[in-house]
Amino acid sequence: MAQSGDTGPESEGRRGAGADPRRRSWRWALTLFWLAAAGPGWPRASGGAPRHHWPVPYKRFSFRPDPDPFCQAKYTFCPTGSPIPVLKGDDVIEVFRLQTPVWEFKYGNLLGHLKIMHDAIGFRSTLTGKNYTVEWYELFQLGNCTFPHLRPEMNAPFWCNQGAACFFEGIDDIHWKENGTLVLIATISGNMFNEMAKWIKQDNETGIYYETWTVQASPEKGAETWFESYDCSKFVLRTYKKLAELGAEFKKIETNYTRIFLYSGEPTYLGNETSVFGPAGNKTLALAIKKFYYPFKPHLSTKEFLLSLLQIFDTVIIHRQFYLFYNFEYWFLPMKFPFIKITYEEIPLPTRNRTLPGL
């Protein structure tokens, strides 16, 4: 259900993860894991007044743009996607928590041992017996959403970054149960389901891009959060919250989610594509940003990949520099130990809103 709900990559948890233009491979994942295992700036560039409202709100849009033809996914987004049906108001719908290791289609439970998981939601109509799955993930796979392409004909980095919801009939029981989770968490009415479907359509049309990182001041509880991620788990959490607002009552079970953190001091706003890379932009800053992203490019030989890892280590760990692209704007992160961390954290299911009877 990309573009408001009826087209649609196979999720990184199901069939897709590598990325193409042309093409991002498993090396992105290895780079991320390698950074996560690492132990113990660039000029504080011009372009914009300091911002003090944290975390920076995720920017929403009035419509979803068509993808650029340059952006081609190795695995088709939501190949069996379909519109969300309108169910009978008195139907009883079972809601299932779905979770499976990322890239299970290729690596089985390997990433499950590292608690790197993909999340989705399942539904079952007791009136018709039909099952449904809804999930949210990248149109062009994870690497393209996390790092740009440096195209010779363009001065600015080029981003293939969209994420969208995918809805389809059926629940692949074996897929979710074998290495992951398929568990009943709530029962709702057909009316609640229909209201949720309207909300998903609106959420999907206005939240168009994927954000890999959560950026915080430190791993300590209560630390300042600079930027929030926007990924599959956040979609699931938003949907649970909406169902609770509609009156759904969730079971009291533990629910955990994968999060990828960067740790930095207070970020510095650098500017957007025009102010940094345009004719009147900051050429020194523009060069520094492109130099930062260069080691993350696709199509590297083994030798080039190893050299790129050394460059990434030198920039992020030794010199403590990271350039973040968020809301189509660039930010400088003065990195701090432990720099990057992958966690599997419990986030409780929401509490029912009891002010909306009859849904």
Side-chain angles (χ1 to χ4, degrees):
M1 142 184 186
Q3 331 307 348
S4 70
D6 56 5
T7 61
E10 266 308 66
S11 78
E12 73 261 19
R14 289 157 35 88
R15 297 179 202 163
D20 205 358
R22 308 190 178 240
R23 80 185 176 265
R24 293 209 185 277
S25 68
W26 53 269
R27 285 172 172 165
W28 147 242
L30 182 57
T31 298
L32 185 128
F33 304 148
W34 177 82
L35 276 174
W42 290 99
R44 305 277 296 188
S46 61
R51 299 186 178 187
H52 303 291
H53 301 288
W54 309 107
V56 174
Y58 176 90
K59 183 179 180 180
R60 289 187 172 269
F61 296 82
S62 58
F63 67 96
R64 177 179 292 277
D66 292 332
D68 189 286
F70 176 84
C71 301
Q72 299 292 324
K74 183 178 180 181
Y75 300 94
T76 303
F77 178 81
C78 201
T80 60
S82 61
I84 304 178
V86 177
L87 302 183
K88 291 188 176 181
D90 60 353
D91 197 352
V92 177
I93 314 298
E94 295 175 326
V95 184
F96 297 92
R97 166 173 161 80
L98 306 179
Q99 190 174 73
T100 193
V102 169
W103 299 321
E104 185 203 24
F105 76 105
K106 190 170 184 178
Y107 301 116
N109 195 35
L110 175 63
L111 299 185
H113 293 302
L114 300 173
K115 299 299 183 183
I116 301 174
M117 309 295 283
H118 170 69
D119 298 276
I121 309 174
F123 301 94
R124 178 181 178 273
S125 163
T126 58
L127 193 61
T128 67
K130 289 185 176 181
N131 297 323
Y132 305 97
T133 300
V134 62
E135 51 190 336
W136 195 96
Y137 56 99
E138 327 89 62
L139 269 66
F140 310 111
Q141 281 81 64
L142 182 60
N144 286 298
C145 293
T146 309
F147 297 107
H149 293 263
L150 301 180
R151 300 172 64 178
E153 71 275 20
M154 294 183 173
N155 187 40
F158 180 82
W159 292 84
C160 290
N161 186 355
Q162 281 198 45
C166 172
F167 183 93
F168 55 94
E169 186 173 335
I171 296 176
D172 185 348
D173 289 32
I174 295 176
H175 166 72
W176 298 105
K177 285 182 178 179
E178 190 172 66
N179 295 312
T181 299
L182 194 165
V183 61
L184 179 68
I185 57 171
T187 301
I188 62 175
S189 69
N191 281 334
M192 287 184 192
F193 180 91
N194 295 333
E195 290 299 314
M196 177 205 68
K198 294 176 186 177
W199 172 85
I200 287 178
K201 187 172 187 282
Q202 185 272 336
D203 181 79
N204 191 54
E205 289 176 343
T206 61
I208 67 171
Y209 73 93
Y210 188 99
E211 177 53 51
T212 302
W213 315 105
T214 297
V215 187
Q216 286 191 175
S218 78
E220 296 177 7
K221 187 175 182 180
E224 187 81 68
T225 298
W226 311 121
F227 302 93
E228 292 279 8
S229 62
Y230 198 87
D231 54 16
C232 63
S233 65
K234 286 301 180 72
F235 170 77
V236 167
L237 290 166
R238 290 195 305 278
T239 306
Y240 289 165
K241 180 180 178 183
K242 183 62 181 180
L243 287 174
E245 290 173 359
L246 294 171
E249 186 162 4
F250 290 90
K251 294 179 178 292
K252 298 186 183 302
I253 61 173
E254 182 175 333
T255 53
N256 295 69
Y257 305 88
T258 300
R259 303 180 73 188
I260 304 176
F261 288 90
L262 295 177
Y263 299 107
S264 80
E266 184 168 346
T268 300
Y269 176 70
L270 303 178
N272 59 27
E273 181 177 311
T274 301
S275 64
V276 175
F277 296 95
N282 184 327
K283 291 182 172 57
T284 301
L285 174 60
L287 182 62
I289 292 174
K290 289 195 286 187
K291 183 179 179 181
F292 170 77
Y293 286 128
Y294 184 81
F296 297 98
K297 67 180 181 178
H299 296 312
L300 297 176
S301 66
T302 300
K303 180 179 178 180
E304 290 173 327
F305 175 66
L306 293 174
L307 289 173
S308 293
L309 283 181
L310 291 176
Q311 290 178 297
I312 294 167
F313 183 88
D314 181 70
T315 301
V316 177
I317 309 301
I318 303 301
H319 289 92
R320 305 192 174 205
Q321 304 152 3
F322 197 100
Y323 288 99
L324 180 73
F325 189 62
Y326 195 90
N327 283 347
F328 295 90
E329 298 174 315
Y330 290 91
W331 298 77
F332 175 77
L333 306 182
M335 298 297 287
K336 295 166 55 178
F337 182 85
F339 309 108
I340 183 172
K341 188 176 183 181
I342 300 173
T343 67
Y344 188 62
E345 299 182 357
E346 181 181 8
I347 301 177
L349 289 163
T351 302
R352 174 185 180 183
N353 183 337
R354 298 182 181 274
T355 63
L356 294 171
L359 280 176

